[in-house]
Amino acid sequence: MTSEETLIELMRRIGLDREEVDERHRLLDWQRDDALRLSRAANDMTEPHQRFVERLYEHLGAFPGPAGLINEESTLARLKHSQLEYYERLWRGPFDREYLNGRLRIGLIHQVVGVEPKWYLAAYRLYLDEMNDALFGDHPQAATAASLLKAVFFDMTLAIDTYGAAQRRALEDSEARFARALRGANDGLWDWHLEHDRLYVSERWAQMLDLSRDALGEGCAAWFSRVHPDDLPGLRQAIDGHLGGRTALLHHEYRIRRRSGDYLWVLARGVVEHDQDGQRRMAGSQTDVSARKAVEEQLRHAARHDPLTGLANRLRLDELLKQTLQQLRKPGARDAALLFVDLDRFKLINDSLGHHTGDQVLVEVGRRLSQCLRPGDHLARFGGDEFVVLLTDLACIADAEQVAQRMLDGLYHPMHIGEHTLVVSASIGVAPLRASADASEALQAADLALYRAKQAGKAQFARYSQELQAAARRQLELESALGQALEQDEFILHYQPICRIEQDGPYLVGVEALLRWRHGGQLIPPQEFISSLEESGQILRVGDWVLRQACQQVRAWQQAGHDQLRCSVNLSSRQLQQDDFVARLTDILMDTGLAPDSLVLEITESQLMRDCTATLIALRELGSLGVRLALDDFGTGYSSLGYLKRFPLHILKVDKSFIDGADPESLAISRAIIGLGRSLGLEVVAEGVERAEQLDFLLGENCRLAQGYWFSRPRPAAELVQLFGEERGADGFRRLMPEPRSFTSRRERQI
Ligand code: C2E
Ligand code: MG
Ligand code: MG
């Protein structure tokens, strides 16, 4: 600040405008006459003035304070000269603004050099004493007046000191309060004069960065050069926003470099002020927010990671996917792919070894999968036993398949978990990531490929393709149409004969009812829709319909003379799980008039596995009703011999894959199953007999019950009945006639 600026600032502070000056004159009762009187007498005062100045310096020189200031002859002479000038001016005037400025300027200088107010007053007292003497030296009361002056001036020194001390005290109190508050807040302070680029920071501000204030530069560069490069644009923007009036306060968090080189999270708060000349000063605080940031970061991390494996979770995966898709849209981007990994039969581990072991398996799987990745790739746990891998920066999509294969190989090695040694396999769906897709489409594509890998037999990977997509769409369309199929009367039953084979030809023992769906001009086989019916729960209503329809039909054939004909119906596990299944079946048998021992219910091994006790109870009830039970597709599931003993079974159906196989192993298995069934007292039915040599084999093994295209394909009731012969065999069964040519030439899938 220039001395002129300081002076203006001082006047503003004192409030010394024209009114104030006038009021001060009025308080002293200063009249025009006073000025005239003084100026008229001024000429006579030269001598007393000189005397006074001499006396003054002599007097002050006796006190150590003033004596210390006036230690040189030349200074003393200069001071005496200006004192004379001043006191003469006191008589002559004029008392204009220039006079006022002069007084204030000298006051400022005196304050700076350390002239104390009491010396001032001592000088004025001496001056008045000298003037008194010059004017009224002969007056008898002159000495009294001089004494009065001393007493008054003493009081004046007291008054001035009291005011000054009280003001200083108030200021100190407020400063102390402020300092205490700052210490409590533990904040650093800064004050930045923008136009002059002068930055002041408090001790604490510097200490936060492990620096001393002196080590910092003066300008804002000292501050900004320490801000983290990623955060600097944001901080500048926040400051500009406040300077531009867009924000009421500066309030911004950023990282700043400490002496050690690491970064500290701080919050800067501040506000700008414009002084009278429009110059800007911004000042505020700096708070260490690193502890809060650390907690926030922990929370952020916890929200985006799986606590068990420490891998990214769905939320994080979604973020990563979006980032990758954005990068893919840039020109020259390399390929990226998603792998959807699902463990095979993980539920079995959980159910048999407990969730704790299951958890450890998941952790180990996570570890092995991550070992197959490169630094830029990501692995997330999608949920349960599902993992998703995001591969970026691929030269071609075939690279993703290599990673999938590495993962399958990596998982294949046995895992040692506690006392268990386990071999875990997974199925993987591989899908390229397309820039045009969104995150959920990409996941869907990989999931679809995974489904394909599972269907194809698990423990392998499958790649997403357009055809897969089309097939899935068709499946979806089918599923939605399936909801209406029963009401639209689109289901139909075909029947396939189950025969007793004799040397002179086959005799008809029973028929198996097989469900077909007439839809869109096609006859859709059950493999394409039974699982959908099971998933949606519709199988319950459809299953009831099948049972009722089949029982009715077979009862009608019985009444038409085939009195020993048996009716086989396939059951789904959900049907068996119904509490009232036995009651409903009893109703159907009553309504249709079919005897319970004419009905064979076919179930598969996997159904038996699902809910053992409930299934066991239902099957026992059915057994006591007189209904026969057949174990279908035997040999393809777990083939646990325990089931054969535990469940009340009557019939074993050897799966067609064994009958079909001409290799020695298949023949050996067929032979073993037939022997096993017989020794357990079960009837054995061979499924899928298509050729004469299979028939010979069965006859050789003394397996007398068979089913297959060799006798007849499954046919609508009206067609099948044409094969029912009149002639009865030894057991009273009727002969089954060979299929006429017109049957075999018809295309199977047409209605
Ligand atoms: P399944 O119970 O093992 O039925 C035998 C399947 O083998 C039938 O297939 C039949 O057409 C076929 N088959 C019979 N003989 C031969 C042969 O000589 N060669 C060949 N290659 N195949 C033969 P379909 O009708 O496609 O039924 C497939 C499966 O769908 C059935 O297997 C059964 O598990 C299920 N299913 C059929 N109808 C129903 C039903 O009403 N309810 C339930 N829950 N499942 C059903
Ligand atoms: Mg069956
Ligand atoms: Mg079967």
Side-chain angles (χ1 to χ4, degrees):
M1 225 188 259
T2 61
S3 63
E4 196 54 37
E5 283 167 350
T6 317
L7 202 63
I8 293 169
E9 156 74 13
L10 183 67
M11 280 205 184
R12 195 177 51 77
R13 216 173 265 269
I14 304 174
L16 211 55
D17 53 11
R18 176 145 290 283
E19 280 109 82
E20 173 66 18
V21 173
D22 284 351
E23 188 177 284
R24 288 189 183 197
H25 276 139
R26 282 203 311 282
L27 279 167
L28 295 169
D29 193 22
W30 178 260
Q31 308 283 344
R32 260 176 66 85
D33 285 353
D34 291 313
L36 284 172
R37 218 171 276 136
L38 287 179
S39 68
R40 244 183 269 130
N43 283 342
D44 303 333
M45 302 315 287
T46 315
E47 217 175 298
H49 274 149
Q50 262 161 3
R51 253 202 322 273
F52 158 68
V53 170
E54 289 309 322
R55 203 177 141 197
L56 172 67
Y57 284 98
E58 201 183 297
H59 179 66
L60 290 180
F63 296 87
L69 290 178
I70 323 161
N71 45 11
E72 265 184 54
E73 275 303 311
S74 58
T75 317
L76 186 61
R78 191 166 44 78
L79 285 173
K80 282 181 179 174
H81 179 74
S82 54
Q83 289 283 331
L84 265 181
E85 265 185 4
Y86 160 63
Y87 285 104
E88 281 187 2
R89 175 84 186 261
L90 205 53
W91 289 78
R92 293 184 203 282
F95 304 107
D96 53 10
R97 173 134 305 256
E98 187 242 314
Y99 171 80
L100 215 63
N101 284 354
R103 290 321 304 149
L104 292 179
R105 189 170 291 125
I106 285 172
L108 272 177
I109 293 167
H110 283 175
Q111 194 266 335
V112 171
V113 294
V115 175
E116 293 188 26
K118 64 185 181 198
W119 306 347
Y120 249 88
L121 291 175
Y124 279 122
R125 205 277 312 162
L126 206 64
Y127 178 66
L128 288 176
D129 193 60
E130 194 59 51
M131 294 304 107
N132 233 0
D133 194 44
L135 294 169
F136 324 108
D138 304 335
H139 196 282
Q141 293 297 342
T144 314
S147 302
L148 181 65
L149 275 183
K150 291 176 189 175
V152 168
F153 268 78
F154 178 71
D155 281 6
M156 277 167 68
T157 62
L158 293 183
I160 287 173
D161 282 349
T162 317
Y163 275 82
Q167 274 174 1
R168 267 200 306 283
R169 164 108 194 251
L171 193 65
E172 275 167 16
D173 279 356
S174 113
E175 274 178 353
R177 259 199 307 279
F178 187 54
R180 266 199 304 278
L182 268 182
R183 270 203 305 280
N186 211 17
D187 287 351
L189 292 185
W190 54 273
D191 183 345
W192 176 28
H193 194 296
L194 274 91
E195 269 67 37
H196 295 194
D197 188 22
R198 264 206 319 270
L199 176 74
Y200 158 86
V201 297
S202 71
E203 204 56 67
R204 171 75 188 128
W205 194 101
Q207 187 211 333
M208 279 181 192
L209 311 185
D210 208 13
L211 295 168
S212 75
R213 250 165 61 186
D214 308 335
L216 278 161
E218 284 254 293
C220 67
W223 178 9
F224 293 151
S225 66
R226 308 198 77 85
V227 175
H228 193 290
D230 292 350
D231 298 351
L232 188 58
L235 177 63
R236 284 191 188 282
Q237 217 175 359
I239 292 176
D240 288 349
H242 178 57
L243 292 176
R246 290 185 293 281
T247 54
L249 280 173
L250 166 70
H251 187 283
H252 191 76
E253 292 178 353
Y254 62 95
R255 285 162 292 175
I256 189 160
R257 200 175 63 251
R258 294 157 55 94
R259 192 165 68 162
S260 56
D262 56 350
Y263 282 90
L264 181 77
W265 270 106
V266 292
L267 162 68
R269 276 180 287 215
V271 66
V272 68
E273 262 182 24
H274 297 257
D275 66 14
Q276 281 171 325
D277 305 325
Q279 300 214 330
R280 294 164 308 166
R281 265 174 85 152
M282 215 172 163
S285 62
Q286 171 169 280
T287 314
D288 176 352
V289 292
S290 52
R292 171 167 59 76
K293 281 282 176 187
V295 173
E296 278 174 9
E297 181 50 36
Q298 273 172 13
L299 288 176
R300 225 188 81 85
H301 189 272
R304 284 167 175 71
H305 290 83
D306 164 43
L308 178 66
T309 57
L311 297 174
N313 65 10
R314 264 181 201 219
L315 187 66
R316 178 78 191 119
L317 175 69
D318 202 49
E319 288 174 354
L320 290 166
L321 262 175
K322 283 183 181 144
Q323 279 170 18
T324 310
L325 285 168
Q326 257 169 14
Q327 275 154 13
L328 276 181
R329 285 172 200 139
K330 291 182 187 156
R334 307 236 298 169
D335 279 341
L338 267 190
L339 308 187
F340 211 124
V341 184
D342 186 293
L343 299 187
D344 299 329
R345 301 187 189 213
F346 179 68
K347 195 176 174 311
L348 201 65
I349 294 179
N350 255 346
D351 289 351
S352 53
L353 303 178
H355 282 90
H356 181 63
T357 308
D359 282 356
Q360 285 173 292
V361 169
L362 291 173
V363 171
E364 177 61 13
V365 167
R367 199 183 64 78
R368 291 195 186 183
L369 294 182
S370 35
Q371 278 176 347
C372 303
L373 301 179
R374 292 180 309 173
D377 300 334
H378 299 282
L379 173 65
R381 179 163 173 225
F382 199 68
D385 60 343
E386 295 171 331
F387 296 82
V388 170
V389 183
L390 174 58
L391 301 174
T392 54
D393 202 25
L394 297 173
C396 64
I397 206 69
D399 290 353
E401 294 179 12
Q402 272 179 18
V403 176
Q405 189 55 54
R406 268 212 303 279
M407 289 182 159
L408 294 175
D409 297 343
L411 286 180
Y412 190 69
H413 300 290
M415 280 182 196
H416 304 287
I417 306 237
E419 72 265 31
H420 307 290
T421 299
L422 304 166
V423 176
V424 173
S425 71
S427 304
I428 304 182
V430 182
L433 214 58
R434 309 216 177 281
S436 57
D438 64 23
S440 72
E441 284 167 345
L443 276 168
Q444 229 175 7
D447 195 14
L448 197 62
L450 167 66
Y451 182 68
R452 176 88 201 87
K454 290 264 183 201
Q455 268 189 331
K458 303 183 176 166
Q460 56 189 294
F461 71 81
R463 189 176 167 177
Y464 169 83
S465 66
Q466 294 289 324
E467 295 75 57
L468 266 189
Q469 184 75 45
R473 196 164 298 135
R474 182 178 127 84
Q475 186 68 23
L476 195 70
E477 282 162 11
L478 276 186
E479 277 173 28
S480 46
L482 200 54
Q484 304 299 314
L486 194 61
E487 280 69 31
Q488 307 273 342
D489 208 13
E490 289 180 349
F491 288 121
I492 176 178
L493 287 184
H494 280 190
Y495 297 88
Q496 188 178 32
I498 298 172
C499 305
R500 186 181 169 105
I501 38 180
E502 300 290 347
Q503 291 300 343
D504 64 343
Y507 287 84
L508 184 66
V509 175
V511 288
E512 179 174 358
L514 293 161
L515 187 59
R516 302 288 180 264
W517 176 25
R518 271 185 304 214
H519 179 71
Q522 279 203 311
L523 205 55
I524 302 175
Q527 283 96 333
E528 290 183 32
F529 63 86
I530 290 276
S531 56
S532 300
L533 287 178
E534 284 175 339
E535 268 165 39
S536 69
Q538 274 193 87
I539 191 71
L540 302 181
R541 289 196 308 129
V542 176
D544 270 9
W545 178 88
V546 171
L547 271 169
R548 188 171 288 275
Q549 192 74 16
C551 290
Q552 225 166 36
Q553 179 60 64
V554 173
R555 179 67 193 138
W557 277 328
Q558 285 179 346
Q559 284 171 328
H562 300 276
D563 40 1
Q564 300 208 36
L565 196 64
R566 282 193 212 155
C567 170
S568 287
V569 176
N570 293 286
L571 275 197
S572 133
S573 60
R574 287 195 66 158
Q575 285 175 278
L576 266 182
Q577 280 161 9
Q578 297 172 99
D579 291 338
D580 60 347
F581 178 70
V582 179
R584 291 158 69 154
L585 182 70
T586 315
D587 283 352
I588 292 173
L589 290 173
M590 296 273 279
D591 292 350
T592 56
L594 191 78
D597 63 358
S598 293
L599 181 63
V600 178
L601 294 179
E602 298 195 357
I603 47 178
T604 59
E605 287 168 287
S606 53
Q607 282 169 278
L608 291 185
M609 274 194 70
R610 231 161 262 176
D611 184 0
C612 284
T613 29
T615 312
L616 185 61
I617 292 170
L619 292 181
R620 290 228 168 103
E621 276 185 72
L622 288 173
S624 58
L625 207 67
V627 171
R628 284 163 204 258
L629 297 171
L631 194 54
D632 207 351
D633 305 341
F634 188 75
T636 55
Y638 292 83
S639 307
S640 164
L641 302 182
Y643 296 135
L644 300 180
K645 234 176 78 184
R646 213 158 141 219
F647 292 102
L649 301 170
H650 306 90
I651 300 160
L652 259 195
K653 295 187 82 171
V654 188
D655 192 68
K656 60 175 165 289
S657 55
F658 303 114
I659 303 299
D660 194 36
D663 52 298
E665 287 82 10
S666 295
L667 293 178
I669 293 172
S670 302
R671 200 172 282 134
I673 297 176
I674 294 165
L676 178 75
R678 191 174 314 117
S679 57
L680 286 171
L682 302 175
E683 284 181 12
V684 178
V685 179
E687 289 188 286
V689 177
E690 293 181 352
R691 300 185 300 277
E693 69 266 23
Q694 293 169 331
L695 208 61
D696 293 341
F697 169 78
L698 293 173
L699 277 171
E701 292 301 318
N702 201 19
C703 175
R704 289 311 177 95
L705 293 171
Q707 178 181 354
Y709 293 174
W710 173 260
F711 310 103
S712 163
R713 288 180 176 257
R715 305 271 170 220
E719 270 182 28
L720 193 71
V721 76
Q722 296 176 39
L723 306 185
F724 295 178
E726 286 299 315
E727 186 190 336
R728 285 183 193 260
D731 295 333
F733 296 119
R734 305 246 184 187
R735 186 184 278 283
L736 183 78
M737 309 304 284
E739 288 186 306
R741 273 190 181 282
S742 59
F743 279 15
T744 37
S745 62
R746 197 175 288 176
R747 286 196 27 226
E748 275 304 305
R749 283 174 71 92
Q750 272 177 355
I751 306 167

